[in-house]
Amino acid sequence: MNLIKQLRERTSAPIKEVKSALVDSNWDIESAQKELRKRGIVLASKKASRTAAEGLLALAQNDRKAAVIELNCETDFVARNEIFQYLAVSLAKVALLVDGTRQPSGALHVEPELFEELKINFHHPKLSGERTVQNAITEVAAMMGENVKLRRGFAMSAPSYGILSTYLHTSPQPGVGRIAGLLSLEVEDQNASVDALQHVGSELAMHVVAAKPLFLTKDDVSTEAMESEREILKSQAESTGKPQMAVEKMVEGRLRKYFEEVVLMEQKFVVNDTLNVKTLLNNLSKEVGSPVKVGSFLRVEVGEGLQRLESSNTGEPLAQAA
């Protein structure tokens, strides 16, 4: 029943179809979800799954680096609490000082264990003085009467030449929100106009939050992801009963659409959908007189991956980064 409930929440498919897919997949939830997509039952493949956890992201930034942490709690009521938000912002500032594990994307994965024992000074009427990060979390949890957990952290360094932009969505106060976008723009000429870069960088950080890209370029799409998507699209096309040649054309057309949905450089720019991100950067390069490219990007959302974590008992997801 628990697997049926989880798959229902992921897909919004009817219970009968969910159970059938799970049985056919030997109760493997990932295979069952893929099977439902093949049948065309999933209502929206890009629809975000409902998550079990509440909480906030907190973002801190200096001249050379930005860091974002996720602090979880049990209810939205606690997430809106001023002390909880103060703790989250304090932890993000600590994350700026920690050296994380570098990902292929260029972003750093900052494991909570790296700074839970660090001591910091708090300056809040209800949380003041020096204490370790873990003790502060435990104290706030006792105040709130809920389980409070520092789930994960990420950091991104500014490029040698260029800018680092950030954006927080659903932000009740500066420094906290529910979705974060981080993006670096690299430029070859160190004398290029910083103002132009910052304007476009800010819009692209917002774009990352809104458009949910998974990859930077088409070349970054893994063979596994490509073959999985092609298999799903082929099953959908074959169900139309059309000739094989028509099926192949349908698959190729839908693959192009897939790239436009998940590849940052191929996506339509959310601020001006008459051009894609690749064209936007080409125009910016002409404006500043030097080639400009996205160095890396990162999208983090409160609670993402928690349902998968519960069902598969795998490690923490590393957000959407490229």
Side-chain angles (χ1 to χ4, degrees):
M1 288 301 295
N2 187 39
L3 284 173
I4 291 172
K5 180 182 177 184
Q6 288 182 46
L7 190 55
R8 277 267 293 164
E9 289 174 344
R10 287 190 189 188
T11 64
S12 299
I15 290 179
K16 181 180 177 182
E17 298 291 350
V18 165
K19 184 177 179 181
S20 171
L22 282 165
V23 170
D24 291 346
S25 304
N26 198 26
W27 298 95
D28 182 312
I29 193 168
E30 300 299 333
S31 298
Q33 184 173 355
K34 189 174 178 180
E35 179 62 26
L36 283 173
R37 281 198 64 196
K38 287 182 181 179
R39 299 179 192 178
I41 295 167
V42 177
L43 298 181
S45 63
K46 291 188 71 180
K47 183 179 180 182
S49 300
R50 298 207 312 257
T51 58
E54 286 295 336
L56 282 174
L57 303 176
L59 177 70
Q61 187 171 3
N62 57 29
D63 291 341
R64 300 304 305 161
K65 191 177 182 182
V68 59
I69 63 95
E70 179 177 356
L71 189 65
N72 290 134
C73 55
E74 296 177 44
T75 65
D76 180 56
F77 178 77
V78 167
R80 295 196 304 268
N81 184 281
E82 183 215 353
I83 301 171
F84 182 88
Q85 294 181 7
Y86 173 80
L87 175 63
V89 171
S90 300
L91 297 183
K93 292 176 181 176
V94 175
L96 275 177
L97 309 175
V98 179
D99 292 327
T101 306
R102 186 165 296 279
Q103 300 178 45
S105 64
L108 298 171
H109 186 216
V110 184
E111 295 281 359
E113 293 79 9
L114 294 175
F115 58 100
E116 283 180 341
E117 296 307 314
L118 293 179
K119 290 185 176 181
I120 55 177
N121 270 306
F122 292 90
H123 304 282
H124 188 280
K126 295 184 179 180
L127 186 68
S128 61
E130 186 181 72
R131 49 180 49 75
T132 65
V133 166
Q134 185 54 56
N135 286 344
I137 292 171
T138 302
E139 196 170 330
V140 170
M143 290 182 207
M144 300 295 104
E146 287 193 8
N147 182 27
V148 175
K149 178 186 177 184
L150 174 59
R151 183 185 176 204
R152 55 184 178 161
F154 300 95
M156 186 179 290
S157 297
S160 299
Y161 303 129
I163 54 99
L164 175 60
S165 295
T166 62
Y167 174 75
L168 274 172
H169 186 64
T170 316
S171 180
Q173 67 159 315
V176 296
R178 288 191 60 84
I179 313 175
L182 286 71
L183 178 135
S184 67
L185 283 182
E186 300 176 359
V187 61
E188 290 186 9
D189 184 358
Q190 66 184 93
N191 298 313
S193 169
V194 175
D195 289 344
L197 293 175
Q198 286 179 336
H199 176 71
V200 173
S202 296
E203 291 185 332
L204 280 175
M206 181 174 64
H207 172 98
V208 166
V209 166
K212 305 179 184 179
L214 300 178
F215 309 97
L216 177 56
T217 69
K218 287 194 287 188
D219 291 339
D220 294 322
V221 181
S222 66
T223 302
E224 181 183 355
M226 272 283 291
E227 293 191 354
S228 174
E229 191 65 22
R230 186 183 290 275
E231 180 187 346
I232 290 167
L233 294 176
K234 186 178 180 181
S235 294
Q236 292 175 346
E238 286 175 343
S239 68
T240 63
K242 293 184 178 179
Q244 188 61 33
M245 187 175 294
V247 165
E248 290 175 5
K249 288 183 178 179
M250 289 171 67
V251 169
E252 292 307 313
R254 291 176 183 180
L255 267 180
R256 285 193 295 272
K257 181 67 175 175
Y258 170 72
F259 286 136
E260 290 174 5
E261 290 176 350
V262 303
V263 175
L264 177 61
M265 298 300 287
E266 306 299 322
Q267 288 179 330
K268 290 186 177 180
F269 185 36
V270 294
V271 178
N272 177 6
D273 63 7
T274 62
L275 45 85
N276 63 16
V277 173
K278 186 189 297 181
T279 304
L280 173 73
L281 291 180
N282 287 339
N283 293 343
L284 178 61
S285 299
K286 293 174 184 176
E287 181 182 345
V288 302
S290 179
V292 179
K293 67 176 183 178
V294 174
S296 54
F297 75 88
L298 181 72
R299 183 186 187 278
V300 191
E301 184 168 356
V302 170
E304 65 188 344
L306 282 177
Q307 288 177 330
R308 180 173 297 180
L309 185 69
E310 291 166 359
S311 63
S312 64
N313 198 31
T314 59
E316 290 287 352
L318 295 185
Q320 295 171 357

